[in-house]
Each structure stands twice: as structure tokens, then as C-alpha cells.
Amino acid sequence: MPLPNFFIAGAGKAGTTSLYHYLRQHPEIYMSPVKEPCYFAPEIRAGAMDDATQRHVALQSKSLPEVLGDGGAVKAHGWIAAEWEDYLRLFQGVTGEKAVGEASAAYLWSETAAANIRARVPEAKILLILRDPAERAFSQYLHQVSVGMTGASFREHLTRCREHSGAPCVSATFPFLEAGSYSAQVERFLASFPREQLRIYWYEEAWRNPGELLGDAFRFLEVDASFEVDFSHRDHERRAPRMRGLHRGLKRSGLWYPLKALVPRRVVGWLRGAAFRKGKQVTMEAADRRYLVDYYREDIRRLEGLMGRDLAAWLR
């Protein structure tokens, strides 16, 4: 069975989902049909998650039979590929593509993923995207609100995350803040792979020109760099429900999707506009940004020294 020869390894909420979908368009690239299988990050397992996170993964896993399309059995939390045999199923569709990859943002945060990937696929190429950690945290918070994992205000959520720092299980609050402390995370990949097997992008710079980003990624993966990507599809537009408590209640009750199915399609867009704030309407409070800049300041300085890059914009 073919193995991946490259990995999109994070950071989460830094455009890895968009990169995954854009790479899938290339005829010489095969991407796992499942994003975030997390096989090489043993910290991400059903038994190491709180109940709410397990429910979220189980809900995602319900679509696996259709996604895999091989008629095989699927585990309750099968979206997380905990067994080697399950992981290999993600690559059964490879038909001679030059670049075979998968995307699991947890690999960057995981303390063991870099070494685990190195042990199985020592020649693997690694793609990383690093984003201003304060903005990354706010984006993750908005995602958690949208899927009903929290109904707290952003500051309340940050306080809970500080209280649960180093918690024994994965949840909405852990590793929420830890995921943005990049210096040790990048060091692990630098220690596990030669520098020429790593491509590190900076979110604020890379996504300013997606065409250049994809062209560089294609050259790195040694596929046809002249392939033109369709950028019309956009993932995860920034948005926030106007009524967090009601939104979370509907999501957690299981009523969200049945109620949505009853709404005529022509009305859905209007309701979405009424129920959610979008784009530039959704911003982080200045006080919350200062809080996070103070939290990440020392780590950002270490990353500057490690990468030889001025990151003053992240400290403003």
C-alpha cells in the first residue's frame, strides 16, 4: 500500500484546509480523502478526549463510509486513524501520483509526531504555515463557537484555557493556547528532518498571493508548477453567531441539522445573514489581543531567533 511522501503539518487555523483543497486539484498530487487523520500524533485519540470532543469526532466519522467508498467497516471515531491498517486505507486510491500527502494540523503541536513521521517516512517533505498566534487563537475560538463547543465570550474562554493548561485530555480548552507556542514545535521538526525537506510559510505573507504560494508548494513537491489552481472555493469564512448561547444549545441538542433541513433553500442564505456576523464585522477586542501578545511574547522572541525573522508585527 502506498505511503504519503509529504505532510501538511500545521498550524491549525492558518489556512491548512485551503492548502489541502488546492493541492487536491493537481493531477500529480493525491491527498488523503480525510483531513486530520492524526495517525502520527498519538495524543489525538478518542480515549484522550473529553466527551464533547469525542461527540464531535463521532459526528464527523459518520460520513466516512461515503468518503472512503471501499465498503469496509468504520469505527465510531474512525475520523481519527488510530490504527496503521485504518491509516493505510486513506491511500488505497493512489494511482501513480508523484506526490502523496495528508494534512493533520495536530502534528505541529504534538510532541511526538515529527519523530514518528521520521521513523516511518524519513524522506517525507513537510509543509508548515505559521500564523500570528493571537489571531490563530481567535480564529480557533470562532470555529469552536460555530460547532457548539463553547458558548463563552472570548475572554472567558481564554481564562478557562489558562486554568486547563496542561490538561490530560484534548478539549475545547486544551491545547487551545499551547497550539500557538511555535518555537519548540518548529524545533522538533528541524531536529527530525533536514532543512531542505521542510517548507515553512508565514500566513500573513503567504496568503497575500495564493498563486505564488501554490506555485512554490508545487515546486517543493516536484510536480508541474504551471498547473493553474481554481481559487474560487473558500474555506471557513470568518463568522460568529449573534446569539452564542442559543446557537450552542441547538448544536448540542442535535436539533440544528433537522431544523436546517426544514428551511426552504431560498431562505437559508437570508437566515444565515441574520444569525451570523461575518468577515470584518468579527474582530478581536484590543484588550484581548494585548492579553494574548503578553502570553506569547517570550515564545515569539524565541521563534525570531530560531528562524532569523522579524516578528514584530505579531507583538503589536
Side-chain angles (χ1 to χ4, degrees):
M1 188 71 71
L3 291 177
N5 54 29
F6 80 91
F7 298 83
I8 302 173
K13 314 314 294 181
T16 58
T17 298
S18 293
L19 183 58
Y20 163 83
H21 285 296
Y22 294 148
L23 291 178
R24 287 188 79 179
Q25 295 181 26
H26 199 294
E28 294 180 297
I29 296 177
Y30 177 93
M31 294 298 298
S32 157
V34 172
K35 184 177 182 288
E36 313 289 348
C38 299
Y39 174 78
F40 291 102
E43 300 93 335
I44 309 296
R45 295 292 182 265
M49 298 174 177
D50 71 354
D51 291 344
T53 308
Q54 287 192 50
R55 285 195 299 270
H56 180 62
V57 173
L59 182 62
Q60 287 182 304
S61 298
K62 287 183 178 180
S63 64
L64 267 186
E66 181 180 353
V67 170
L68 291 173
D70 62 0
V74 171
K75 298 180 175 67
H77 299 91
W79 203 268
I80 303 298
E83 304 296 332
W84 184 240
E85 293 74 17
D86 293 331
Y87 186 67
L88 290 179
R89 288 173 69 185
L90 302 178
F91 306 99
Q92 59 192 337
V94 174
T95 56
E97 290 85 352
K98 292 176 66 175
V100 177
E102 64 115 318
S104 295
Y107 291 161
L108 183 57
W109 163 75
S110 166
E111 293 186 1
T112 59
N116 291 338
I117 294 171
R118 172 74 178 179
R120 284 277 192 178
V121 197
E123 302 303 318
K125 294 183 177 182
I126 309 295
L127 293 148
L128 302 177
I129 309 177
L130 304 181
R131 181 182 186 181
D132 177 334
E135 293 295 332
R136 191 219 68 82
F138 187 59
S139 182
Q140 184 175 350
Y141 163 76
L142 293 177
H143 173 75
Q144 290 180 344
V145 171
S146 74
V147 299
M149 293 186 72
T150 183
S153 71
F154 188 43
R155 177 53 68 90
E156 290 170 342
H157 191 65
L158 292 176
T159 300
R160 293 174 187 175
C161 291
R162 292 292 292 268
E163 292 171 351
H164 291 89
S165 179
C169 66
V170 174
S171 67
T173 55
F174 178 80
F176 183 91
L177 289 169
E178 292 81 357
S181 296
Y182 303 132
S183 62
Q185 301 170 12
V186 172
E187 280 182 327
R188 286 193 287 268
F189 277 92
L190 289 171
S192 296
F193 293 94
R195 187 64 180 83
E196 62 268 19
Q197 287 176 228
L198 296 175
R199 188 66 103 236
I200 300 175
Y201 298 108
W202 305 88
Y203 175 91
E204 296 80 9
E205 176 183 283
W207 288 113
R208 202 175 298 143
N209 192 326
E212 286 188 7
L213 167 62
L214 268 295
D216 184 78
F218 291 155
R219 287 188 290 273
F220 178 59
L221 299 175
E222 299 181 76
V223 298
D224 180 9
S226 67
F227 177 77
E228 294 188 7
V229 174
D230 177 3
F231 292 109
S232 60
H233 176 79
R234 296 180 62 188
D235 288 292
H236 304 313
E237 179 185 17
R238 174 175 280 199
R239 65 179 189 174
R242 298 182 189 278
M243 294 180 284
R244 291 192 309 267
L246 176 60
H247 179 82
R248 188 183 189 218
L250 288 172
K251 285 282 189 175
R252 290 175 64 86
S253 69
L255 294 174
W256 178 269
Y257 292 105
L259 288 174
K260 184 179 177 182
L262 295 174
V263 177
R265 183 171 296 181
R266 65 181 181 276
V267 182
V268 169
W270 179 85
L271 284 176
R272 188 178 288 120
F276 289 90
R277 293 178 292 118
K278 294 182 180 181
K280 293 182 179 179
Q281 298 177 351
V282 185
T283 57
M284 188 184 347
E285 296 288 341
D288 293 335
R289 177 164 181 84
R290 288 194 297 271
Y291 179 94
L292 285 168
V293 166
D294 287 342
Y295 178 86
Y296 288 116
R297 186 180 305 278
E298 185 178 341
D299 189 76
I300 291 171
R301 292 301 189 196
R302 284 200 299 267
L303 185 64
E304 283 184 318
L306 179 66
M307 301 304 299
R309 185 181 177 90
D310 182 359
L311 297 173
W314 288 7
L315 294 168
R316 293 180 187 138

